Amino acid sequence: MRLIVLAPLLAAIPGVALAEPLTFDAALLRAAREAPSLKASTSGVDAARSSAVAAGRLPDPTINIGIDNFPVSGPPAFTFQGDSMTMARIGIEQPFPNPAKRRAQRDRAQAEIGIAEAGAAVEAQNVRLETALAWVDLFYAKRRLAQLQVLDQSLGELQATVSARLASGSARPSAALEPDQLRAAVNDRRSELAADVAKAQARLARFTGDPEVDVSGDPPILEVDRAKLVAGLASLPSLQALDASVVAADAETELARADKRPDWRVSTSYGRRDPAYGDMVSVGVSIDLPLFSRRRQDPKIAASASEAERARLLRTAGERELVAALDGDLADHVMHHQRLMNARNTLVPLAKRRAELDMASYAAGKLDLGSALLSTLALAEAEDDALSREADVARDAIRINFTYGEMRP
């Protein structure tokens, strides 16, 4: 059903008349390009990839410059004369962390990339979901607002009938006030729906970047298949983020274990002495000795292993939570669909038939105008409630498919 909104009604809602209409798919594409949070997530992924380039590399070498064996006592104290040992020295030292540590550093850097990418996927999914829901909310808010316009027109026609009866003397004078009273109640409802339009438009503008965004076309018709949804849960961005956290925790554990393996350093230096004596070259190797691992490395390994186990348990809990949330959303979807069918097949037809009968009774002089107007208002409320229920069904289908299904980035 296409939405038709008259110009005066649009003018009453700031920003709507000049908005650029977007279809459902176009709004999702615009949000994917314009949402600042997605650009921020992309920058985070780029940062993690840049950091991974340096992971596992050899540390920078160290240069040493100094004076060795400078006398501070005896006849040559504080001079460079008469001492064969004093020399100016320059040297370089290169650390070599053990290969297991460097490999674990690379694995941890790759895990950080996975976490950043999973976080970006989660944010992209959230942006798509919120954009889709905002689009649907704006669509149905405008449809409900347009429906009140039709009621306004019928009240205008009724006002003309009341005026004719007043002129002929067949209606009491107070009857002229009843259409205005009903119109005032409708105006209150219009104000509420206008606020709903503005709020939905603001939410949609948040992701599309267009402060005057508008909607066009119809919402998508989405089917809900529980078996298919459950089969694809493992590929959900939220679970992939938990998987990446497990990989990162395992990398931290391996890095802690690598501390039990010794690192080593190679150094060399050149010593310049008095010209009367020869210069000297020194070469050396130093090796770390992790001899007290019970109080140093082992506690860190145990802590990292516990964090890894915690990450695995959170992954299991996350999957169970998703299954429970899916079943809950499916139950709501079934309930909302049943309510929609009840409104379409029973409530609206009954309200329409009652309004027709009461208006016919009023025309025949068998019913007062107030009762007839109440039936008209009840019909409008029933039709508005049916649209609200239709919106609930559409929101459920979008939320389920965009959260658990294939309609995700």
Side-chain angles (χ1 to χ4, degrees):
M1 178 179 178
R2 297 281 179 176
L3 176 63
I4 302 175
V5 182
L6 299 180
L9 186 59
L10 286 176
I13 307 171
V16 173
L18 300 178
E20 176 187 357
L22 289 177
T23 64
F24 183 83
D25 291 334
L28 295 181
L29 292 175
R30 177 77 64 86
R33 294 195 309 265
E34 300 296 335
S37 59
L38 295 184
K39 297 178 182 179
S41 297
T42 301
S43 297
V45 174
D46 293 340
R49 288 173 177 167
S50 295
S51 298
V53 175
R57 304 284 182 177
L58 289 177
D60 292 331
T62 303
I63 189 170
N64 297 313
I65 300 175
I67 297 176
D68 291 341
N69 304 318
F70 184 72
V72 295
S73 64
F78 302 104
T79 69
F80 291 98
Q81 300 175 358
D83 187 81
S84 63
M85 298 299 292
T86 301
M87 60 182 175
R89 172 181 50 79
I90 182 171
I92 189 169
E93 182 181 70
Q94 175 62 60
F96 289 90
N98 68 78
K101 179 180 292 184
R102 296 172 61 190
R103 183 171 56 252
Q105 290 172 345
R106 289 191 293 268
D107 292 342
R108 183 178 61 181
Q110 291 300 317
E112 292 295 332
I113 294 177
I115 290 176
E117 290 177 340
V122 170
E123 181 60 26
Q125 183 185 39
N126 290 336
V127 168
R128 284 172 57 85
L129 174 60
E130 293 301 322
T131 301
L133 293 177
W135 192 99
V136 168
D137 288 345
L138 182 55
F139 175 85
Y140 279 102
K142 294 183 68 175
R143 278 189 63 183
R144 294 167 67 185
L145 197 56
Q147 191 167 264
L148 287 183
Q149 183 69 20
V150 176
L151 179 58
D152 258 351
Q153 293 175 352
S154 65
L155 289 177
E157 297 171 357
L158 185 59
Q159 184 70 56
T161 302
V162 173
S163 298
R165 290 198 171 190
L166 286 173
S168 65
S170 59
R172 65 185 189 279
S174 61
L177 304 177
E178 293 176 345
D180 291 333
Q181 290 177 326
L182 182 56
R183 185 176 286 109
V186 171
N187 287 338
D188 286 343
R189 186 58 179 155
R190 179 184 291 106
S191 298
E192 295 176 4
L193 291 175
D196 291 341
V197 169
K199 288 187 287 186
Q201 188 180 36
R203 288 165 50 210
L204 191 56
R206 170 190 172 190
F207 299 107
T208 61
D210 183 358
E212 298 183 351
V213 67
D214 198 5
V215 297
S216 66
D218 297 324
I221 299 176
L222 304 177
E223 296 183 356
V224 177
D225 185 342
R226 185 186 185 281
K228 185 177 180 181
L229 294 172
V230 172
L233 285 181
S235 62
L236 291 177
S238 56
L239 290 185
Q240 289 180 344
L242 293 175
D243 289 335
S245 297
V246 171
V247 174
D250 287 339
E252 288 289 346
T253 303
E254 291 303 317
L255 188 60
R257 290 195 177 102
D259 282 338
K260 296 187 72 172
R261 301 184 182 185
D263 298 333
W264 53 287
R265 290 171 293 280
V266 175
S267 61
T268 182
S269 63
Y270 176 81
R272 174 73 174 173
R273 297 198 296 175
D274 186 276
Y277 305 99
D279 295 342
M280 302 181 69
V281 174
S282 300
V283 177
V285 176
S286 59
I287 302 175
D288 294 335
L289 298 177
L291 300 178
F292 304 99
S293 60
R294 289 183 59 187
R295 294 185 176 274
R296 294 179 180 175
Q297 288 82 16
D298 288 350
K300 294 181 179 179
I301 294 173
S304 297
S306 296
E307 286 295 327
E309 180 63 18
R310 174 177 175 269
R312 288 185 172 82
L313 292 174
L314 287 177
R315 169 60 172 78
T316 302
E319 183 173 2
R320 293 182 181 180
E321 181 180 358
L322 275 176
V323 173
L326 172 59
D327 288 337
D329 288 342
L330 290 173
D332 283 341
H333 184 50
V334 171
M335 179 267 293
H336 287 149
H337 188 269
Q338 291 173 345
R339 282 168 48 84
L340 174 59
M341 293 298 100
N342 187 44
R344 285 179 175 176
N345 299 331
T346 304
L347 298 179
V348 172
L350 288 176
K352 184 177 181 180
R353 182 58 179 160
R354 179 177 179 179
E356 292 173 350
L357 292 174
D358 284 351
M359 290 305 298
S361 297
Y362 167 71
K366 298 179 179 180
L367 186 68
D368 63 282
L369 179 59
S371 299
L373 289 178
L374 287 177
S375 297
T376 302
L377 181 59
L379 173 59
E381 290 177 346
E383 291 175 339
D384 180 71
D385 182 62
L387 276 179
S388 178
R389 297 184 184 194
E390 183 179 332
D392 288 339
V393 172
R395 284 176 58 86
D396 287 342
I398 287 174
R399 180 183 293 106
I400 291 171
N401 281 280
F402 278 63
T403 302
Y404 313 100
E406 295 299 326
M407 300 187 68
R408 55 181 186 263

